[in-house]
Amino acid sequence: MSWLRALKATARSGLKVERRRPEPLVALRAAAGLGLVVGASLALFGPGVAVSSAFGAFQAAIATFQRSWRPRPTLALASGASLAVSTFLGYLTGAHIALFIALLALWTFLSGLAWATGPTTGIIASSNVAIMLVTVTLPTSVADAAGHAAMIAVGGFVQAALIVLVPIRRWGAQRDALADALGAEAGYARRLCQDPYAPFDPVPLMTARSAAAVTPRQARRRPAELHGARGLAERIRPVLASLADPAVGVPREGPQRERVRELLDAAASVLHTAAHAIRHGRPATIPPAAFAALKRPDTGAVLTGPARRAATRLTALLADVVETATRTDRADVGELRERPSLISLVPVAVRTVRGELRGESPVFRHAVRVSAVTTGGYVIGTALPLGHGYWAPMAAVMAMRPDFTQTYSRSVARFCGTLLGVALATGVVRAAHPGTYTSAALAVVCAFGMYLLMRSGYVANQACVSAYVVFLLGMGGTAWTQTVPERVVLTLLGGVLAMLAYAVYPAWETPRLRTRLADWLAADGRYAACVVAHHANPAARGTAAVREALLGNRDARVAWQEAVERAAHEPVRHRGLSRAAAADAQDALAQFGRVAMLMEAHLPDRDAAPLPAAAALAEALRHATEQGAKAIRERRVPRWDEVREAVARLEGEGESGAVVDPVVRDGARLLLEALDSLSDALRQTEEV
């Protein structure tokens, strides 16, 4: 993609306004917390302190809207406390320009590295730097600075207290995550009725798994219907695919296929009903038609072999889903995943950040870029005869992200949103000349709009934020003529600096596509090898290893898909992997993982007879995919002779009269075909 096309694509992405379901009550609670803090601060301490406390409450509320499963009060407290520390340290060095710039460079560099621990931490850290640039100009002494920092922390405490005292849809996010996972499987079952090879996006299941991790205190209070259903959903998905797939199920046409369609449609109805019940906290009432379809007595006569086994397992699993969705007791019926405390995560975060301290790391490059741009923008903004030079670095640090698309799209959206917000706020100020308390009320209204539109797009978000800042500083006595013109110019300067920094010191995803593909192949191979090894010796193996391998495979697949999406908008040519080859390789590995999943759906019980011929296939898959991943990283086409020989031995034993499960026999052949397709896809690049 050329630079011009990349800039157009990212600009459109940044200016896109999405229609997302708002949460008006949550937004109203956050705005009410901000209003309480601002009103009390104005009455007790005056406008200067009110501005500081307002930033604390404003940022704490933003933290609670982030995509995190940690308790919301914890996020609000952590945001308020970290912003208070940042502001106080900034003020201590603010009188000495060289010392402040050094602190700004260090603080911004650390905020850039914070993205290694997750987007929530990265956003909070970046916001702390941006707000610090404004709030350090407010106090006049060390004692005042300490007071301002304390009020910022109080703002976070007030937001946390309101979340506890005024709960809104308690456990709502976790309910939505689990309901979305069940709903995704319901849609998958319906698609399988028409297309037995329909794809399935595992992200809803991964999100539900993240949401299922709870603190010990949460575990004691979690609603009963949130126990166990996610684990059942994980087990249902391969059974659905196995029942529909002609390779290990039933023919594409005929009475058996019609019966399979009835079962899949009934499964979709049951899963949809369970999802609705869990989302709204109501008992699940199964549609009579779906219940009758699942309980038809002639299923065993119509279906045979693997299809019959899959139908029996599906009926049992759906019954467990219904029972779980209608539980009223608090007994633990499912897997309990404990969420570690913030303090216990500190050593993990340190190790994670330390692992990113290398020149080729995208997070490290982001930290270097944002640190250089923020300090450079501060120096330039201070030197320009515009006043309020902090607008440029503030715009840059809030727009910059570790990847190209978000950095450029947010830079465009921030500038456009700033123009819109400043224009509206300026019109109100010039027409109404609001006083201190009126400006405070208008700032709270703008904050409510921002909270309400939090997930509707960055440009709408920034329009509300820009108006909020104008009214807030106007409350502190700063006239609109002292803030609006330079804010627009310096915001543009900050956005331009952010975009130039990425062009000069990029972290392109395109050259790393081969590495991502190799990681996915290795994870795919481990998963398939674990599944086949379980068939080889059921008594010696549990399903835990298969489960862990599946989770690793999902992570690698999602990492690949995200990398492809980012690379698609980058203005660089491919280096070793063309777009067409990447698409074909993705299809091949998706098919490989699908076959392994079909084999997982028919894992034998512990007392089943072992299948020694599968042991060699499992080892061949594990070793060959590891070597294949190495070949991909080294820009070579992998070979699968080892797997081919193991598949031939397995088929030979079946022909000689040995008992070989048809699922394993057919699955082994399909796995080899998928690997050959992968090599064919990579060979396209070699021929370019």
Side-chain angles (χ1 to χ4, degrees):
M1 181 179 291
S2 66
W3 269 98
L4 181 60
R5 290 180 60 193
L7 291 175
K8 287 181 178 179
T10 53
R12 284 195 298 267
S13 174
L15 297 178
K16 183 179 180 181
V17 177
E18 301 181 11
R19 298 185 64 181
R20 295 285 190 91
R21 185 180 62 185
E23 297 180 289
L25 294 180
V26 177
L28 183 61
R29 182 181 62 190
L34 176 62
L36 284 174
V37 170
V38 172
S41 300
L42 272 176
L44 297 175
F45 306 108
V49 174
V51 172
S52 290
S53 61
F55 275 118
F58 180 73
Q59 171 61 17
I62 290 177
T64 64
F65 280 88
Q66 301 308 312
R67 188 69 168 182
S68 173
W69 305 110
R70 196 163 292 281
R72 303 290 141 176
T74 303
L75 293 176
L77 291 172
S79 175
S82 61
L83 179 58
V85 172
S86 298
T87 300
F88 184 68
L89 291 177
Y91 177 76
L92 290 182
T93 59
H96 308 280
I97 186 66
L99 192 58
F100 178 74
I101 289 176
L103 173 68
L104 181 61
L106 175 62
W107 219 240
T108 310
F109 181 76
L110 294 176
S111 75
L113 290 178
W115 284 90
T117 61
T120 298
T121 308
I123 290 172
I124 292 175
S126 300
S127 301
N128 285 349
V129 173
I131 295 175
M132 178 188 74
L133 289 165
V134 180
T135 52
V136 294
T137 65
L138 298 174
T140 57
S141 66
V142 174
D144 283 347
H148 282 250
M151 289 305 298
I152 287 174
V154 167
F157 176 80
V158 169
Q159 293 287 13
L162 278 179
I163 293 172
V164 175
L165 296 175
V166 189
I168 298 172
R169 274 203 83 212
R170 184 175 287 167
W171 296 96
Q174 286 82 359
R175 287 183 181 278
D176 287 342
L178 180 54
D180 289 344
L182 293 173
E185 291 203 328
Y188 180 54
R190 288 199 170 92
R191 292 196 304 275
L192 288 174
C193 291
Q194 307 301 323
D195 178 11
Y197 301 104
F200 178 79
D201 183 3
V203 171
L205 289 177
M206 299 171 69
T207 303
R209 185 173 189 273
S210 298
V214 292
T215 64
R217 182 173 181 273
Q218 286 179 311
R220 295 191 296 269
R221 300 170 179 266
R222 183 168 59 173
E225 60 269 26
L226 296 184
H227 294 264
R230 183 190 59 81
L232 293 170
E234 294 277 5
R235 294 162 59 192
I236 286 174
R237 187 236 169 159
V239 176
L240 290 172
S242 172
L243 186 62
D245 196 292
V248 295
V250 299
R252 298 194 66 131
E253 298 297 337
Q256 290 183 311
R257 175 58 58 177
E258 291 302 320
R259 180 65 186 123
V260 164
R261 290 194 180 103
E262 290 179 3
L263 289 172
L264 291 173
D265 186 67
S269 297
V270 171
L271 290 168
H272 177 76
T273 301
H276 186 270
I278 288 174
R279 191 185 302 277
H280 298 284
R282 300 170 184 167
T285 304
I286 304 303
F291 184 82
L294 291 172
K295 295 295 184 180
R296 272 183 55 178
D298 63 339
T299 298
V302 175
L303 301 180
T304 60
R308 181 178 178 179
R309 293 203 305 264
T312 302
R313 290 185 178 182
L314 178 62
T315 302
L317 289 170
L318 290 174
D320 290 342
V321 168
V322 174
E323 181 183 357
T324 300
T326 56
R327 289 184 66 92
T328 56
D329 61 275
R330 293 195 176 273
D332 239 324
V333 297
E335 172 190 12
L336 177 61
R337 301 185 62 242
E338 184 171 333
R339 185 177 300 281
S341 65
L342 286 176
I343 295 177
S344 65
L345 285 177
V346 172
V348 178
V350 171
R351 287 194 299 271
T352 301
V353 169
R354 188 182 301 162
E356 298 293 337
L357 296 177
R358 61 186 195 279
E360 67 275 11
S361 166
V363 173
F364 176 79
R365 285 179 166 250
H366 168 68
V368 172
R369 281 195 306 271
V370 73
S371 180
V373 168
T374 304
T375 52
Y378 185 82
V379 171
I380 295 172
T382 303
L384 290 175
L386 297 174
H388 304 285
Y390 51 77
W391 291 124
M394 185 173 70
V397 74
M398 290 303 295
M400 296 180 75
R401 292 293 185 267
D403 65 281
F404 164 82
T405 302
Q406 286 200 61
T407 297
Y408 276 62
S409 64
R410 289 170 71 89
S411 296
V412 173
R414 187 171 184 86
F415 179 70
C416 294
T418 297
L419 283 178
L420 179 60
V422 166
L424 292 175
T426 301
V428 172
V429 169
R430 297 196 68 176
H433 302 287
T436 299
Y437 283 91
T438 305
S439 295
L442 289 172
V444 172
V445 170
C446 290
F448 171 75
M450 194 274 292
Y451 298 140
L452 191 65
L453 301 175
M454 179 70 73
R455 298 184 176 91
S456 297
Y458 195 61
V459 64
N461 183 291
Q462 284 307 301
C464 295
V465 171
S466 300
Y468 167 78
V469 173
V470 171
F471 289 130
L472 194 66
L473 295 182
M475 178 188 72
T478 303
W480 73 270
T481 53
Q482 294 178 295
T483 61
V484 174
E486 57 265 30
R487 173 162 169 72
V488 172
V489 173
L490 292 173
T491 298
L492 176 60
L493 174 63
V496 170
L497 288 175
M499 297 167 77
L500 286 176
Y502 206 104
V504 172
Y505 190 57
W508 303 123
E509 195 67 49
T510 301
R512 290 193 294 271
L513 285 180
R514 271 189 172 268
T515 300
R516 301 286 191 187
L517 184 66
D519 293 342
W520 185 15
L521 171 61
D524 244 357
R526 286 191 293 269
Y527 172 47
C530 282
V531 172
V532 175
H534 193 286
H535 281 276
N537 192 358
R541 296 177 179 273
T543 58
V546 175
R547 173 68 176 155
E548 289 301 315
L550 172 62
L551 295 177
N553 182 39
R554 283 181 182 169
D555 290 339
R557 176 177 179 173
V558 170
W560 158 261
Q561 291 174 335
E562 292 176 347
V564 169
E565 291 174 3
R566 290 193 293 266
H569 298 288
E570 292 180 347
V572 292
R573 293 181 180 276
H574 74 83
R575 299 177 186 176
L577 191 65
S578 66
R579 309 290 189 198
D584 291 344
Q586 175 174 305
D587 292 341
L589 283 185
Q591 174 63 10
F592 185 90
R594 175 185 171 81
V595 174
M597 181 187 66
L598 296 177
M599 299 172 73
E600 181 194 352
H602 294 276
L603 286 179
D605 297 328
R606 284 184 173 272
D607 56 353
L611 184 60
L617 175 62
E619 183 57 32
L621 286 169
R622 181 179 289 106
H623 184 263
T625 50
E626 288 176 355
Q627 294 302 308
K630 182 180 179 181
I632 291 175
R633 293 188 184 98
E634 296 173 353
R635 301 191 179 185
R636 295 184 287 111
V637 178
R639 299 178 59 86
W640 313 110
D641 297 337
E642 188 177 356
V643 177
R644 204 178 311 280
E645 293 173 1
V647 171
R649 287 197 299 269
L650 183 68
E651 292 179 340
E653 290 200 13
E655 293 173 357
S656 64
V659 179
V660 177
D661 190 327
V663 172
V664 178
R665 181 196 62 222
D666 296 337
R669 175 177 50 80
L670 293 173
L671 289 173
L672 179 59
E673 290 178 1
L675 292 175
D676 285 336
S677 298
L678 173 63
S679 295
D680 292 340
L682 295 173
R683 201 169 286 115
Q684 296 178 32
T685 298
E686 298 298 318
E687 295 171 353
V688 172

